[in-house]
Amino acid sequence: QVQLVESGGGLVQAGGSLRLSCAASGSFSRINTMGWYRQAPGNQRELVASITSGGRMYYADSVKGRFTISRDNAKNTVYLQMNSLKPEDTAVYYCNADAVVGTLIKISGDYWGQGTQVTVSS
């Protein structure tokens, strides 16, 4: 199993910055893709950014040029640097990891953190 713990959320004024962190722990062989999703009240959860173990990145159009995703494979941690924040960025941000688990039989699975609140005021 994989446990994901997010940190770094909070309240910030429009134009400000936050840096989210997500650390993975537990029994896993490797983590493939890690990403950040967000969900605002009444909205569907959407993919914000993702990064593969090899460093290939994806960004939603709404955050391109403002957010930067990175990861430290040695620490099993993914980061999301959020700059030029806008009120529409307000949401609960969830860390996601595609990990391989199992001792004799290796199985890939999708794991989620508990979420961290990001609130951007105008």
Side-chain angles (χ1 to χ4, degrees):
Q1 191 177 19
V2 181
Q3 294 81 45
L4 302 174
V5 179
E6 301 106 329
S7 62
L11 175 64
V12 66
Q13 291 183 320
S17 299
L18 287 172
R19 192 189 193 210
L20 306 182
S21 299
C22 172
S25 62
S27 299
F28 54 87
S29 300
R30 61 173 285 119
I31 297 177
N32 298 316
T33 302
M34 301 186 77
W36 290 95
Y37 291 71
R38 67 186 181 188
Q39 186 168 21
N43 293 347
Q44 292 184 316
R45 189 171 299 184
E46 63 176 346
L47 175 62
V48 177
S50 65
I51 184 169
T52 68
S53 60
R56 183 179 179 183
M57 294 170 284
Y58 165 85
Y59 295 97
D61 288 341
S62 59
V63 305
K64 285 182 178 177
R66 300 188 297 119
F67 291 9
T68 302
I69 191 170
S70 61
R71 66 188 287 173
D72 185 336
N73 290 329
K75 296 181 179 180
N76 296 314
T77 300
V78 64
Y79 306 92
L80 186 67
Q81 178 67 46
M82 304 184 294
N83 298 327
S84 302
L85 283 163
K86 304 175 181 179
E88 50 262 45
D89 295 319
T90 296
V92 177
Y93 284 70
Y94 296 91
C95 179
N96 172 265
D98 173 18
V100 178
V101 300
T103 302
L104 297 179
I105 301 175
K106 306 299 182 183
I107 303 174
S108 62
D110 206 27
Y111 297 87
W112 294 89
Q114 80 288 347
T116 184
Q117 177 70 47
V118 172
T119 302
V120 184
S121 64
S122 59

